[in-house]
Amino acid sequence: MDEKTADLRDLFVDATGAETVTERQDAERGTLSDPDDPAVEERLRELVAAMRERYGFSTPLDDAAYALVARGRFDDADDAAIAAAIREESEATSEDDESDAAVEPGDVDAATVRKARLDLHLVRESDREVDAGEAGGESDEDADPAFAYADLKRLTAAGNSIVECAEELDTEPDDVAKYAAVARTDIASTRANDRFRDAFRDLLTDADIEGSLASDAREDGLREATEDIETDVSL
């Protein structure tokens, strides 16, 4: 934490009386600490259904599959492993249910899971890591990223299309499209005060989780708090 952030944080504490920025968050966590508790599964399905109604989803997966996506994310499973778990669950369910499934198990792959994960506002830090530029059609691992993710997010928030973003970033639309989906998710999550992301985290992790998403949430909260304070001070 640099000196400026520390000063702003102290101002926040003075203004709110909170011992720490995350005091309220810590107090609210841990009420359903067992992810296998039936009450957790019920709440998980409710969250999925609420997001489906509010935002609409981009895959044909049902709520049960989306719940598996959320669980897999907090189990640190990669998208391919989550897809395999959904296929296995779908195949087991189809043996007991003669009705037509919304999606064939064989059609569920890592790309499908990635879309579903973004539908749930569960962005991984690696999703924001822009690939290095290409030279002669081959990726150069030592090259700088083709563009800065922060710049794409700013342009997307301003309402620019993928083509317009690509023009501004001096890159190809196909290179932008993959990360534009992530930027739109980050923007939607921020506009919702990250409450869906945080609700999934609180349901599916221990109170003292030190995973990357929990760290992101704490950093986001501190940054937003300090930005608000800085604005108030400037006024």
Side-chain angles (χ1 to χ4, degrees), residues 34-49:
D34 182 3
D36 295 325
D37 189 316
V40 172
E41 181 63 24
E42 181 180 359
R43 178 57 177 151
L44 188 58
R45 299 285 186 94
E46 290 174 352
L47 281 170
V48 169

Side-chain angles (χ1 to χ4, degrees), residues 130-135 137 145-147 152 155 161-180:
V130 178
D131 292 336
E134 297 185 353
F147 53 86
L152 172 60
L155 290 167
S161 68
I162 290 175
V163 172
E164 290 169 335
C165 288
E167 291 177 352
E168 287 288 336
L169 298 170
D170 192 24
T171 190
E172 296 298 321
D174 287 347
D175 295 335
V176 168
K178 174 182 176 182
Y179 303 99

Side-chain angles (χ1 to χ4, degrees), residues 16-18 45 48 63 69 97 103 132 136 139 149 168 202 212 214 228 231:
T16 63
R45 299 285 186 94
V48 169
D63 288 357
V69 170
D97 187 353
V103 59
S139 179
Y149 174 76
E168 287 288 336
D202 292 348
S212 61
D228 289 343
T231 299

